[in-house]
mmCIF file of all heavy atoms in Angstrom:
data_model
loop_
_atom_site.group_PDB
_atom_site.id
_atom_site.type_symbol
_atom_site.label_atom_id
_atom_site.label_comp_id
_atom_site.label_asym_id
_atom_site.label_seq_id
_atom_site.Cartn_x
_atom_site.Cartn_y
_atom_site.Cartn_z
ATOM 1 N N LEU A 6 218.934 205.529 80.679
ATOM 2 C CA LEU A 6 219.123 204.386 79.801
ATOM 3 C C LEU A 6 217.830 204.027 79.091
ATOM 4 O O LEU A 6 216.781 203.985 79.680
ATOM 5 C CB LEU A 6 219.597 203.222 80.688
ATOM 6 C CG LEU A 6 219.805 201.845 79.890
ATOM 7 C CD1 LEU A 6 221.121 201.930 79.108
ATOM 8 C CD2 LEU A 6 219.842 200.692 80.842
ATOM 9 N N ILE A 62 224.224 195.238 77.869
ATOM 10 C CA ILE A 62 224.173 196.670 78.011
ATOM 11 C C ILE A 62 225.570 197.163 78.344
ATOM 12 O O ILE A 62 225.992 198.239 77.799
ATOM 13 C CB ILE A 62 223.208 197.022 79.222
ATOM 14 C CG1 ILE A 62 221.791 196.768 78.828
ATOM 15 C CG2 ILE A 62 223.399 198.480 79.637
ATOM 16 C CD1 ILE A 62 220.786 196.823 79.939
ATOM 17 N N LEU A 63 226.339 196.499 79.084
ATOM 18 C CA LEU A 63 227.742 196.897 79.449
ATOM 19 C C LEU A 63 228.735 196.634 78.337
ATOM 20 O O LEU A 63 229.885 197.055 78.418
ATOM 21 C CB LEU A 63 228.209 196.135 80.705
ATOM 22 C CG LEU A 63 229.426 196.565 81.426
ATOM 23 C CD1 LEU A 63 229.368 198.043 81.774
ATOM 24 C CD2 LEU A 63 229.749 195.786 82.636
ATOM 25 N N PHE A 75 222.560 205.320 76.246
ATOM 26 C CA PHE A 75 222.881 205.679 77.571
ATOM 27 C C PHE A 75 223.301 207.112 77.579
ATOM 28 O O PHE A 75 224.205 207.550 76.851
ATOM 29 C CB PHE A 75 224.070 204.788 78.077
ATOM 30 C CG PHE A 75 224.589 205.197 79.409
ATOM 31 C CD1 PHE A 75 223.897 204.814 80.556
ATOM 32 C CD2 PHE A 75 225.761 205.909 79.591
ATOM 33 C CE1 PHE A 75 224.352 205.158 81.839
ATOM 34 C CE2 PHE A 75 226.231 206.239 80.819
ATOM 35 C CZ PHE A 75 225.526 205.864 81.921
ATOM 36 N N ILE A 80 225.173 203.518 72.476
ATOM 37 C CA ILE A 80 226.386 202.808 72.828
ATOM 38 C C ILE A 80 226.422 201.381 72.269
ATOM 39 O O ILE A 80 227.389 200.642 72.538
ATOM 40 C CB ILE A 80 226.608 202.776 74.339
ATOM 41 C CG1 ILE A 80 225.483 201.965 75.042
ATOM 42 C CG2 ILE A 80 226.665 204.207 74.910
ATOM 43 C CD1 ILE A 80 225.729 201.699 76.510
ATOM 44 N N GLN A 90 235.862 204.786 78.180
ATOM 45 C CA GLN A 90 235.148 205.925 78.790
ATOM 46 C C GLN A 90 233.794 205.527 79.280
ATOM 47 O O GLN A 90 233.317 205.915 80.325
ATOM 48 C CB GLN A 90 235.067 207.071 77.786
ATOM 49 C CG GLN A 90 234.326 208.314 78.293
ATOM 50 C CD GLN A 90 234.980 208.931 79.540
ATOM 51 O OE1 GLN A 90 236.242 208.969 79.600
ATOM 52 N NE2 GLN A 90 234.197 209.369 80.473
ATOM 53 N N LEU A 91 233.149 204.662 78.470
ATOM 54 C CA LEU A 91 231.773 204.181 78.826
ATOM 55 C C LEU A 91 231.849 203.445 80.167
ATOM 56 O O LEU A 91 230.946 203.633 81.041
ATOM 57 C CB LEU A 91 231.240 203.285 77.745
ATOM 58 C CG LEU A 91 229.966 202.489 78.119
ATOM 59 C CD1 LEU A 91 228.725 203.411 78.228
ATOM 60 C CD2 LEU A 91 229.693 201.419 77.062
ATOM 61 N N ARG A 92 232.840 202.679 80.390
ATOM 62 C CA ARG A 92 232.929 201.885 81.590
ATOM 63 C C ARG A 92 233.323 202.644 82.808
ATOM 64 O O ARG A 92 233.308 202.085 83.925
ATOM 65 C CB ARG A 92 233.927 200.701 81.334
ATOM 66 C CG ARG A 92 233.304 199.758 80.282
ATOM 67 C CD ARG A 92 233.960 198.394 80.235
ATOM 68 N NE ARG A 92 233.198 197.557 79.295
ATOM 69 C CZ ARG A 92 233.725 196.952 78.197
ATOM 70 N NH1 ARG A 92 235.005 197.136 77.999
ATOM 71 N NH2 ARG A 92 233.011 196.228 77.424
ATOM 72 N N ARG A 93 233.611 203.877 82.652
ATOM 73 C CA ARG A 93 233.737 204.793 83.819
ATOM 74 C C ARG A 93 232.362 205.113 84.324
ATOM 75 O O ARG A 93 232.119 205.345 85.562
ATOM 76 C CB ARG A 93 234.451 206.078 83.465
ATOM 77 C CG ARG A 93 235.959 205.942 83.282
ATOM 78 C CD ARG A 93 236.665 207.279 83.175
ATOM 79 N NE ARG A 93 236.464 208.081 84.388
ATOM 80 C CZ ARG A 93 237.116 209.241 84.597
ATOM 81 N NH1 ARG A 93 237.942 209.715 83.706
ATOM 82 N NH2 ARG A 93 236.917 209.908 85.690
ATOM 83 N N ASP A 94 231.419 205.143 83.442
ATOM 84 C CA ASP A 94 230.022 205.580 83.769
ATOM 85 C C ASP A 94 229.074 204.415 84.060
ATOM 86 O O ASP A 94 228.058 204.597 84.779
ATOM 87 C CB ASP A 94 229.411 206.387 82.646
ATOM 88 C CG ASP A 94 230.122 207.700 82.434
ATOM 89 O OD1 ASP A 94 230.653 208.271 83.425
ATOM 90 O OD2 ASP A 94 230.226 208.220 81.293
ATOM 91 N N ILE A 95 229.400 203.210 83.562
ATOM 92 C CA ILE A 95 228.593 202.032 83.883
ATOM 93 C C ILE A 95 229.542 200.933 84.451
ATOM 94 O O ILE A 95 230.485 200.491 83.844
ATOM 95 C CB ILE A 95 227.940 201.436 82.593
ATOM 96 C CG1 ILE A 95 227.157 202.545 81.824
ATOM 97 C CG2 ILE A 95 227.017 200.309 82.987
ATOM 98 C CD1 ILE A 95 226.502 202.012 80.563
ATOM 99 N N GLN A 96 229.193 200.500 85.652
ATOM 100 C CA GLN A 96 230.007 199.494 86.303
ATOM 101 C C GLN A 96 229.130 198.311 86.678
ATOM 102 O O GLN A 96 227.891 198.361 86.520
ATOM 103 C CB GLN A 96 230.656 200.030 87.586
ATOM 104 C CG GLN A 96 231.802 201.000 87.379
ATOM 105 C CD GLN A 96 233.062 200.294 86.826
ATOM 106 O OE1 GLN A 96 233.444 199.254 87.395
ATOM 107 N NE2 GLN A 96 233.708 200.826 85.842
ATOM 108 N N MET A 97 229.718 197.231 87.129
ATOM 109 C CA MET A 97 229.054 195.995 87.401
ATOM 110 C C MET A 97 229.451 195.422 88.746
ATOM 111 O O MET A 97 230.684 195.420 89.019
ATOM 112 C CB MET A 97 229.257 194.974 86.294
ATOM 113 C CG MET A 97 228.252 193.820 86.287
ATOM 114 S SD MET A 97 228.256 192.972 84.733
ATOM 115 C CE MET A 97 226.752 191.960 84.916
ATOM 116 N N PRO A 174 230.525 206.152 89.079
ATOM 117 C CA PRO A 174 229.735 205.884 87.838
ATOM 118 C C PRO A 174 228.318 206.500 87.980
ATOM 119 O O PRO A 174 227.843 206.815 89.019
ATOM 120 C CB PRO A 174 229.690 204.361 87.745
ATOM 121 C CG PRO A 174 229.750 203.950 89.236
ATOM 122 C CD PRO A 174 230.713 204.960 89.869
ATOM 123 N N LYS A 175 227.631 206.572 86.801
ATOM 124 C CA LYS A 175 226.273 207.003 86.802
ATOM 125 C C LYS A 175 225.277 205.828 87.008
ATOM 126 O O LYS A 175 224.193 206.031 87.590
ATOM 127 C CB LYS A 175 225.922 207.694 85.445
ATOM 128 C CG LYS A 175 226.706 208.944 85.217
ATOM 129 C CD LYS A 175 226.389 209.569 83.873
ATOM 130 C CE LYS A 175 227.187 210.809 83.659
ATOM 131 N NZ LYS A 175 226.908 211.439 82.282
ATOM 132 N N MET A 176 225.704 204.620 86.554
ATOM 133 C CA MET A 176 224.851 203.424 86.678
ATOM 134 C C MET A 176 225.615 202.236 87.021
ATOM 135 O O MET A 176 226.787 202.070 86.568
ATOM 136 C CB MET A 176 224.077 203.217 85.385
ATOM 137 C CG MET A 176 223.051 202.065 85.436
ATOM 138 S SD MET A 176 222.042 201.930 83.945
ATOM 139 C CE MET A 176 223.220 201.140 82.857
ATOM 140 N N ILE A 177 225.041 201.369 87.876
ATOM 141 C CA ILE A 177 225.705 200.098 88.236
ATOM 142 C C ILE A 177 224.714 198.965 87.937
ATOM 143 O O ILE A 177 223.568 199.032 88.311
ATOM 144 C CB ILE A 177 226.086 200.087 89.736
ATOM 145 C CG1 ILE A 177 227.135 201.173 90.046
ATOM 146 C CG2 ILE A 177 226.653 198.726 90.142
ATOM 147 C CD1 ILE A 177 227.561 201.215 91.463
ATOM 148 N N ILE A 178 225.203 197.918 87.285
ATOM 149 C CA ILE A 178 224.455 196.697 87.037
ATOM 150 C C ILE A 178 224.826 195.704 88.167
ATOM 151 O O ILE A 178 225.946 195.267 88.239
ATOM 152 C CB ILE A 178 224.770 196.162 85.666
ATOM 153 C CG1 ILE A 178 224.401 197.118 84.514
ATOM 154 C CG2 ILE A 178 224.032 194.816 85.411
ATOM 155 C CD1 ILE A 178 224.920 196.801 83.199
#
Side-chain angles (χ1 to χ4, degrees):
L6 178 75
I62 290 170
L63 192 55
F75 176 76
I80 65 173
Q90 179 61 38
L91 169 69
R92 293 197 174 122
R93 286 188 62 170
D94 293 330
I95 308 178
Q96 286 288 314
M97 193 164 195
K175 296 178 181 178
M176 185 174 77
I177 297 179
I178 298 170

